[in-house]
Amino acid sequence: MLSAANFVDAALLSGFDFFTGVPCSLLTPLVNETCSRCDLSYVVATSEGEAVAIAAGAYLAGKKTVVMSQNSGLGNMVNPLTSLNFPFRIPTLLIVTWRGRPGEPDEPQHELMGRITASMLALLEIPMSVLPSDENVAETFRAIISPAIASGLSYALITKKGDFAETCASERQFAPKPAGAIERWCESSERPTRVSVLEHLLGSVADDTAIIATTGKTGRELYTLQDRDQHLYMVGAMGSASAVGLGVAMNSQKPVIVVDGDGAALMRMGTFATIGARGPEIFLHILLDNGVHDSTGGQRTVSSQVDWASIAAANGYRHTISIARIEDFARALDALQSRPGPNCLHVRTLPGSIENLGRQKVAPHEVAERFSSFLRGRQELGRGRLPDDVTSMRARRPFSPRTA
């Protein structure tokens, strides 16, 4: 048996101090130990895929991360592991339980995943080993796990029932967040295009602000308008942009803006709750709602049935403004950036995009490297909301459309 406290101590000694995941009964001692510690961060995720994306954001902001889950959660992780972590070269340590292990009786839902857990990790090109003993855990981190992470590879430790000794540690409690304030500004029959909103964003955002754009045409249009080191273009992992933004906001002094789409937000709506619960004050969620999946031909989403402002407010976003006119965008953006977050700006837009829209010519791992360097650059201001007198003086870079 391995002491959960010894495991966490060994992880911390090797620099792994950001944990997230979805609990499993076999991980109870480790999860409880992690939740009770004040010398690390633990984020309760609503899904295993969300946890991978949160950890990816934390990694970009300079953290070494651990994602914990049951092996059934590997299915939920496949998309971000293959279309976010792999192309962006973002590693994480996976702690995966082995439910349904061949030869060990378990519930029927674990039978198939139990048989294929090892082969599934191999298909994902993630090296793995079984959980080490108390005597070997520190050396395993030093000699095996840390070098793998340093080379850009994720690594998995497989655990089975009884590997972790019981512990008296218990989870710290967090007070529930009250519902946030909502402002609904004028509706309009002439909604703006997505690209016009992005143009206004580029003309207003400060040089110290990180922008994470959801996958599809949102990121491609942002890149086409202007490419900056402060931009992260999600080329995959649909629905994960806000989770990546949360991981960044929890570990950086830079203000964070996530530019999301209604289809992507619908895919992982649980992340609204995670963001609201964590309450990062420097987080702004801009939701561009055109009611369609633009990148796949304009098929409708179910966004017309959704009251996004009420959802954000109910999940703990402090302030939400819903607009439908481009004339209101700059004023709404300034209002929300001057208030402590997390905040949400819901913008109703028209379907469609720039004709002959190109794709990013910068490789994803290069985008990740320069974005990470931007996040870790000189930070003169304290973490959290910028003081009002500083906010009004923040340098804004002139915007001009790209010509190449």
Side-chain angles (χ1 to χ4, degrees):
M1 279 190 180
L2 174 61
S3 161
N6 287 350
F7 181 89
V8 173
D9 287 342
L12 288 169
L13 189 64
S14 291
F16 292 85
D17 61 354
F18 188 92
F19 290 68
T20 183
V22 176
C24 171
S25 59
L26 304 190
L27 285 175
T28 296
L30 180 60
V31 172
N32 287 350
E33 177 68 25
T34 306
C35 291
S36 68
R37 302 280 289 251
C38 295
D39 50 354
L40 54 80
S41 295
Y42 176 76
V43 179
V44 180
T46 62
S47 71
E48 297 85 358
E50 176 189 285
V52 172
I54 293 170
Y59 174 83
L60 291 169
K63 293 291 183 177
K64 295 172 75 172
T65 66
V66 181
V67 176
M68 303 181 288
S69 90
Q70 189 177 102
N71 56 343
S72 61
L74 280 173
N76 207 310
M77 293 182 188
V78 167
N79 178 257
L81 284 174
T82 57
S83 64
L84 172 61
N85 290 52
F86 182 80
F88 285 92
R89 296 182 188 171
I90 296 174
T92 191
L93 172 62
L94 302 176
I95 310 294
V96 181
T97 61
W98 199 351
R99 299 296 302 267
R101 186 184 181 199
E104 295 185 358
D106 209 322
E107 300 297 327
Q109 67 268 26
H110 299 303
E111 179 183 350
L112 177 58
M113 184 58 82
R115 288 204 307 266
I116 67 173
T117 293
S119 58
M120 192 168 181
L121 286 166
L123 282 172
L124 292 169
E125 299 181 6
I126 296 176
M128 60 189 169
S129 61
V130 298
L131 194 73
S133 64
D134 257 346
E135 297 79 18
N136 298 325
V137 63
E139 178 63 15
T140 298
F141 268 99
R142 187 195 68 79
I144 300 175
I145 297 172
S146 291
I149 297 298
S151 68
L153 293 174
S154 291
Y155 193 88
L157 287 177
I158 307 299
T159 75
K160 61 185 186 301
K161 186 176 181 178
D163 275 354
F164 283 105
E166 293 297 324
T167 178
C168 61
S170 59
E171 186 173 357
R172 287 178 288 156
Q173 298 299 311
F174 294 92
K177 302 291 175 61
I182 299 175
E183 298 176 43
R184 302 179 193 272
W185 295 4
C186 290
E187 278 289 347
S188 172
S189 59
E190 297 183 4
R191 296 178 181 177
T193 61
R194 180 180 50 241
V195 71
S196 68
V197 174
L198 294 174
E199 286 177 331
H200 279 69
L201 176 65
L202 287 169
S204 302
V205 74
D207 285 349
D208 67 342
T209 301
I211 300 177
I212 299 164
T214 188
T215 188
K217 293 190 175 180
T218 300
R220 290 166 62 188
E221 285 186 343
L222 182 65
Y223 172 82
T224 299
L225 289 170
Q226 194 169 72
D227 183 31
R228 299 176 178 175
D229 290 353
Q230 69 202 86
H231 296 173
L232 183 73
Y233 313 105
M234 299 281 290
V235 295
M238 183 173 172
S240 297
S242 59
V244 173
L246 174 60
V248 171
M250 289 185 63
N251 297 286
S252 173
Q253 296 175 334
K254 305 286 190 183
V256 175
I257 293 178
V258 172
V259 186
D260 218 342
D262 54 298
L266 285 164
M267 186 172 284
R268 292 196 183 272
M269 289 185 72
T271 307
F272 279 81
T274 309
I275 292 167
R278 299 306 305 191
E281 292 192 348
I282 56 175
F283 184 96
L284 174 59
H285 197 166
I286 298 179
L287 180 56
L288 304 183
D289 179 10
N290 63 7
V292 301
H293 293 290
D294 249 343
S295 296
T296 58
Q299 299 87 358
R300 285 184 297 173
T301 70
V302 296
S303 181
S304 61
Q305 310 290 321
V306 178
D307 184 343
W308 289 107
S310 293
I311 285 175
N315 279 289
Y317 284 61
R318 293 191 183 186
H319 308 277
T320 299
I321 298 176
S322 184
I323 66 173
R325 303 190 314 164
I326 194 63
E327 295 85 355
D328 294 328
F329 179 80
R331 182 162 62 98
L333 181 67
D334 283 344
L336 291 173
Q337 286 192 298
S338 67
R339 302 169 185 172
N343 296 326
C344 181
L345 175 54
H346 171 234
V347 188
R348 296 191 183 277
T349 64
L350 291 170
S353 63
I354 299 173
E355 290 186 13
N356 302 317
L357 181 61
R359 296 181 182 275
Q360 296 96 311
K361 299 186 184 301
V362 186
H365 71 274
E366 294 173 336
V367 172
E369 288 167 4
R370 70 184 195 185
F371 182 74
S372 184
S373 295
F374 160 77
L375 291 177
R376 303 185 210 189
R378 192 160 67 98
Q379 299 172 332
E380 300 174 338
L381 299 171
R383 184 175 181 175
R385 184 170 69 99
L386 296 173
D388 290 340
D389 59 333
V390 176
T391 303
S392 63
M393 297 186 295
R394 280 159 61 176
R396 300 180 186 275
R397 180 182 302 177
F399 162 71
S400 58
R402 287 167 55 88
T403 57

